């Protein structure tokens, strides 16, 4: 039987919960900054660390890969040991990773730092769980909207920060460390758990199997062009990914407390948000990485600072939308906002397929992208949890974050494969075209399942 949204009012603490919500939103934006800040720096890292572009691209991919595994694992730890404690632990790992990356002078040490930074992605579903615990029902959509929208703003802000530090990756990570310290201090003072820890056991086997098949899949996609798509190495790694994924699903279906609840992946109330989130995350990183690479290439020869300026409209639009997230969530259905945002983000990719001759074209595209991502991210969190039982909130939010991150990590591998096969302008047209298709797909799932779930609640 399908689950409908709750209708009873929850008790909330007597103290004002909103300072804690704002602090969590700030921490979520810092977590998003570290995900995207390295994107415009890839050519710089290639030169300074004397490595290939394919090698330094793993500084982005590895962080997203760790995020994909850490999100459900640390979300489970939050249920077991308390969300606030795990949020502070994730921020501590972000601080440590930022310091290691700031001090790194070789690619291996930079990757170590990026691995530690990736754990902070779990902060978003954990924060959504805290928000649902402390806010009354009539304010819940506003709280989740603020969290989600500022996360989108942080993602754009990461690209801007790379430009502000003029491509100095040491300074970039020192700034990230400082922001992380500030976020940790604020969370420690202003955020409190209101629900007791639940106990239980973590699904470490599920986490290990997930790492195996995700690494194999991304490695095969990113290296297939250079290895040969029909070579024994490529086919063997793809086979490992398939076998690993099947084994992982079988294990997860039999474990009492799985890393990822398979039933939640296909739950009627969440599947629209799940697929839309995956495609929107994929399209976001396709567009962001594509724009950064294109404008720094022979066509425009932009500096890292100029990349940040090109992306300024995107960041500003996401900031403005985050300020009005509460009003938007009160007036419009979450699925409608996700669908509209996804379609607008897809339109940015479509624009660049046909118009990419100069700065104005890039600015139009980044404006559309900022509007689309701002709307989509503001409502994704609410769309993911509004049709599940309260005790399933963290699970649903964790899965939504997981698939969005998995989509983003896949985008890096797909871009590498496209540029290996089609270098130059034609390859970037394909990248932007794929981003447009992803946006259209996300919009379709959001609108269709939004309508189905609305009918479900109505009846």
């Amino acid at each position: 039987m399908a689950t409908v949204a709750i209708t009873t009012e929850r008790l909330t603490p007597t103290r004002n919960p909103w300072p804690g919500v704002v602090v969590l939103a700030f921490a979520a934006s810092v977590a998003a900054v570290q995900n995207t800040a390295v994107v415009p720096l890839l050519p710089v890292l290639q030169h300074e660390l004397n490595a290939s572009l394919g090698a330094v691209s793993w500084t982005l991919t590895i962080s997203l890969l760790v995020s994909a595994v850490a999100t459900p694992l640390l979300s489970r730890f939050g249920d077991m040991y308390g969300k606030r404690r795990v949020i502070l632990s994730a921020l501590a790992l972000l601080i440590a990773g930022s310091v290691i990356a700031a001090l790194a002078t070789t690619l291996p040490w930079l990757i170590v730092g990026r691995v530690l930074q990736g754990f902070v992605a779990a902060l978003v579903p954990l924060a959504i769980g805290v928000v649902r615990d402390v806010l009354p029902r009539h304010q819940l959509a506003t709280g989740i909207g603020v969290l989600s929208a500022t996360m989108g703003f942080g993602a754009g802000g990461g690209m801007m920060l790379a430009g502000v530090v003029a491509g100095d990756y040491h300074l970039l990570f020192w700034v990230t460390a400082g922001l992380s310290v500030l976020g940790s201090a604020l969370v420690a003072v202003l955020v409190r758990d209101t629900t007791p820890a639940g106990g239980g056991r973590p699904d470490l086997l599920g986490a290990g199997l997930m790492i195996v098949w995700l690494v194999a899949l991304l490695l095969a996609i990113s290296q297939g062009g250079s290895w040969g798509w029909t070579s024994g190495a490529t086919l063997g790694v793809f086979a490992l990914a398939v076998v690993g994924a099947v084994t992982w699903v079988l294990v997860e279906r039999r474990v009492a407390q799985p890393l990822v609840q398979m039933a939640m992946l296909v739950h009627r109330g969440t599947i629209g948000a799940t697929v839309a989130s995956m495609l929107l995350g994929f399209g976001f990183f396709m567009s962001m990485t594509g724009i950064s690479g294109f404008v720094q290439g022979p066509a425009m020869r932009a500096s890292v600072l100029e990349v940040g300026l090109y992306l300024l409209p995107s960041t500003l639009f996401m900031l403005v939308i985050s300020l009005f997230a509460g009003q938007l969530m009160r007036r419009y259905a979450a699925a409608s906002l996700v669908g509209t945002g996804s379609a607008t983000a897809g339109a940015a990719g479509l624009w660049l397929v046909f118009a990419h001759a100069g700065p104005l074209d890039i600015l139009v595209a980044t404006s559309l992208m900022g509007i689309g991502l701002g709307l989509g991210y503001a409502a994704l969190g609410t769309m993911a949890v509004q049709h599940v039982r309260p005790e399933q909130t963290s699970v649903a939010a964790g899965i939504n974050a997981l698939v969005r991150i998995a989509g983003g990590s896949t985008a890096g591998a797909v871009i590498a494969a496209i540029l290996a096969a089609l270098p130059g302008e034609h390859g970037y047209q394909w990248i932007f075209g794929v981003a447009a298709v992803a946006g259209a797909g996300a919009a379709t799932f959001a609108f269709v399942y939004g309508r189905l779930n609305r009918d479900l609640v109505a009846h």
Side-chain angles (χ1 to χ4, degrees), residues 149 153 313-326 328 370 374:
F153 166 69
S314 179
T315 306
L316 291 177
F317 275 116
M318 283 190 275
L319 173 61
V320 171
I321 290 173
S322 72
L323 297 176
F324 293 95
L328 291 170

Side-chain angles (χ1 to χ4, degrees), residues 19 101 103 114 142 149 160 181 192 208 233 265 315 370 426 459:
L103 295 172
R114 293 291 291 159
T142 300
M160 287 293 302
V181 170
R192 291 290 180 268
L265 282 174
T315 306
H426 193 47
H459 292 90

Side-chain angles (χ1 to χ4, degrees), residues 280-320:
L280 194 57
F282 175 82
F284 166 64
F285 275 95
M286 288 291 288
S287 295
M288 279 284 198
T289 308
I291 290 172
S292 174
F294 178 76
V295 300
Q296 290 184 82
M300 301 183 70
R301 300 188 184 279
S303 65
V304 176
L305 177 59
E306 288 170 332
V307 172
L309 293 175
Y310 281 125
L311 291 165
L312 180 60
S314 179
T315 306
L316 291 177
F317 275 116
M318 283 190 275
L319 173 61
V320 171

Side-chain angles (χ1 to χ4, degrees), residues 163-249:
V164 171
V165 301
D168 184 344
Y169 76 90
H170 301 287
L171 178 57
L172 170 71
F173 290 119
W174 282 123
V175 172
T176 304
L179 292 173
S180 305
V181 170
L182 176 60
S184 297
L186 292 173
V187 168
V189 172
L190 295 174
V191 175
R192 291 290 180 268
D193 273 330
T194 60
T195 54
R201 299 177 61 183
D203 179 18
L204 298 180
L205 177 59
L209 288 170
M210 188 176 178
I211 291 172
V212 169
W213 75 261
L214 273 175
V215 169
L217 177 64
L218 297 179
L219 187 63
I221 294 174
S222 62
Q223 299 299 318
S226 58
W227 290 350
W229 291 106
T230 59
S231 69
T234 301
L235 295 177
V237 177
F238 268 127
L240 177 61
V242 172
V243 172
V246 171
T247 305
W248 175 69
V249 170

Side-chain angles (χ1 to χ4, degrees), residues 356-375:
H356 49 263
L360 182 60
D361 292 326
I362 305 299
L363 293 172
V364 169
T366 55
S367 297
L368 290 171
M369 186 169 60
I371 294 169
L373 292 172
L375 290 172

Side-chain angles (χ1 to χ4, degrees), residues 430-442:
W430 273 93
I431 290 170
F432 298 137
V434 171
V437 172

Side-chain angles (χ1 to χ4, degrees), residues 388-451:
V388 302
R389 296 190 300 271
E391 65 270 19
Q392 294 176 314
T393 298
S394 292
V395 174
I399 287 177
N400 192 260
L402 162 66
V403 295
R404 184 181 64 250
I405 294 165
S409 61
T410 305
V414 171
I415 287 174
I418 291 174
L419 292 180
L422 298 167
E425 180 178 331
H426 193 47
Y428 281 105
Q429 284 182 291
W430 273 93
I431 290 170
F432 298 137
V434 171
V437 172
T444 301
F445 269 86
F447 283 130
V448 169
Y449 277 91
R451 177 60 182 269

